[in-house]
Amino acid sequence: MNIKTVPATDKWTEYTLTNEAGMAVSILDFGGIITKLLVPDREGNLENVVLAYKNVQDYQQNPNYFGALIGRVAGRIEGASFNLSGKNYTLEANEGINHLHSGSAGFHQVLWKTEPFQTNHAVGLMLSHSSPDGEGGYPGNLTVTVTYTLTNDNRLLMDYEASSDKTTPLTLTNHSYFNLSGNLKNTVDAHAATIDCSQVVELDDQLIPTGNLMAVEETPFDFRAGRMLGDGLNDEFTQNQLAGSGYDHYFIFDNKQEQKVVVQESASGRQMAIETDQPGMVMYTGNGLDDTLLLSEGKSRKYLGVCFETQGSPASLHHKNMPNIILQADETYKTQTVFAFSLMK
């Protein structure tokens, strides 16, 4: 195991955590961005399984949020506003009239304080940040720590902890785009996914939740017994079409399985299982990607990666039947998501 530190730019530092199996994750202090994740295939070849820019300076803008920590609130907030305890709060409208991933003041644009660490079984990096009351339009002085831990059994843990001196909306996530084919050899069409979910949140044509929960039965959203992501990428089902021919939806977990998601790519033999205490996730299949971005292994293209954004639902700010994201003053926000890598059996 080791931790390697290199300057990424004149202001940013990149930390690479490597375990005893050779698996490695590279993380910038800027945005807490995962820039590389090397995972073995069935032949033992270590290859990158996340989308990343070839030029590190491109993360300065990063409109697709590659690898970044997202907060204070991950996802879309309808009308770039919300009401809390009788008071209206106005946010930056950075996607039409709506607010996406906390706008330009979001945590993906923050230079985090970092503290690497090592134990007998793991290597890690703790990132911390303080967001002042009113930043981005949100109430409360907020302190946040996010800890990435890579264990020797190829588990990548993401631990989030935060507290605020005022009641405030909060739901944090990581926005890595995964591609288990390795080094972006193929799009994610042939990734098979199993998801512990029988209801998803219906979207309108602006990708804003309508407030309706949609049963997954007999739709391309039914992953309970496993199916290919490609099933929904070319489907004529209205919800897939609204998302740009793919998925960009909040899946509410049934909590019947410890592993909420299992993803497999048969050509490489890689498997990724997701464990989390979050109530659901947004699965986004890279529907908005095109060939204008230069990535570490070549040009980007549609469906080149898939995000599993474990989080609460910002739609709860406008609809009461969604997983809540309100953090009470002086309470502790604490949640964990684990990405466990192995080989298909």
Side-chain angles (χ1 to χ4, degrees):
M1 292 188 296
N2 64 69
I3 303 170
K4 183 180 177 184
T5 305
V6 297
T9 69
D10 57 352
K11 295 179 181 177
W12 307 344
T13 301
E14 184 179 65
Y15 297 81
T16 298
L17 316 176
T18 305
N19 70 9
E20 289 180 353
M23 181 177 161
V25 57
S26 297
I27 303 156
L28 289 178
D29 54 1
F30 177 75
I33 293 168
I34 293 176
T35 59
K36 187 178 288 185
L37 186 58
L38 299 178
V39 178
D41 66 6
R42 65 164 57 90
E43 307 298 330
N45 300 310
L46 286 164
E47 293 176 314
N48 184 30
V49 298
V50 294
L51 272 60
Y53 287 113
K54 183 172 185 179
N55 182 356
V56 71
Q57 297 282 4
D58 288 343
Y59 288 110
Q60 184 72 59
Q61 300 300 324
N62 199 11
N64 296 287
Y65 306 91
F66 288 143
L69 293 177
I70 306 296
R72 296 183 181 194
V73 173
R76 294 176 174 88
I77 296 180
E78 180 181 355
S81 65
F82 63 92
N83 185 288
L84 186 61
S85 302
K87 182 177 179 181
N88 284 313
Y89 292 87
T90 301
L91 309 169
E92 176 187 357
N94 63 323
E95 189 184 62
I97 63 170
N98 304 307
H99 178 73
L100 175 65
H101 292 330
S102 300
S104 55
F107 293 166
H108 64 290
Q109 293 287 296
V110 163
L111 191 63
W112 293 71
K113 294 178 182 176
T114 53
E115 186 178 329
F117 63 89
Q118 186 166 338
T119 69
N120 290 335
H121 307 289
V123 285
L125 183 69
M126 187 172 76
L127 303 103
S128 58
H129 174 62
S130 295
S131 174
D133 182 23
E135 185 173 51
Y138 292 97
N141 293 295
L142 184 77
T143 58
V144 184
T145 61
V146 180
T147 305
Y148 291 110
T149 306
L150 178 62
T151 67
N152 282 332
D153 55 354
N154 288 359
R155 292 163 62 86
L156 178 61
L157 284 60
M158 299 181 189
D159 287 282
Y160 304 85
E161 191 166 331
S163 62
S164 169
D165 61 359
K166 292 182 182 178
T167 298
T168 190
L170 184 74
T171 186
L172 310 176
T173 197
N174 176 276
H175 208 286
S176 288
Y177 291 69
F178 294 95
N179 185 323
L180 301 184
S181 70
N183 292 347
L184 307 185
K185 285 193 283 293
N186 300 299
T187 56
V188 297
D189 307 48
H191 283 44
T194 305
I195 304 175
D196 179 23
C197 167
S198 57
Q199 287 186 312
V200 299
V201 175
E202 182 185 73
L203 300 178
D204 67 15
D205 59 3
Q206 293 185 62
L207 303 180
I208 294 296
T210 63
N212 295 327
L213 300 181
M214 183 183 77
V216 302
E217 281 127 332
E218 298 181 2
T219 78
F221 289 79
D222 192 351
F223 287 89
R224 289 173 297 179
R227 73 187 312 149
M228 294 292 181
L229 292 182
D231 290 354
L233 305 188
N234 305 301
D235 197 272
E236 295 183 0
F237 190 67
T238 301
Q239 284 295 304
N240 293 114
Q241 291 295 308
L242 285 174
S245 299
Y247 300 94
D248 195 2
H249 294 72
Y250 189 83
F251 288 70
I252 298 175
F253 296 136
D254 291 342
N255 292 320
K256 293 179 179 178
Q257 309 291 334
E258 181 181 4
Q259 295 178 331
K260 303 300 190 291
V261 184
V262 177
V263 189
Q264 297 178 325
E265 204 277 330
S266 59
S268 68
R270 290 185 181 93
Q271 174 174 296
M272 181 177 76
I274 302 173
E275 302 164 16
T276 185
D277 53 12
Q278 290 279 30
M281 69 168 185
V282 174
M283 183 172 77
Y284 173 55
T285 44
N287 321 322
L289 297 177
D290 57 28
D291 63 0
T292 61
L293 306 175
L294 188 57
L295 306 182
S296 52
E297 289 87 11
K299 284 188 176 180
S300 62
R301 59 190 190 276
K302 195 171 184 175
Y303 310 134
L304 195 55
V306 55
C307 302
F308 302 100
E309 303 159 54
T310 55
Q311 58 175 98
S313 174
S316 62
L317 295 172
H318 296 95
H319 303 283
K320 290 181 177 169
N321 60 337
M322 307 287 172
N324 178 48
I325 63 165
I326 299 300
L327 175 67
Q328 298 297 322
D330 300 318
E331 285 191 354
T332 300
Y333 173 96
K334 195 169 185 178
T335 181
Q336 181 185 73
T337 294
V338 179
F339 296 91
F341 294 89
S342 59
L343 297 175
M344 294 171 60
K345 293 178 181 176

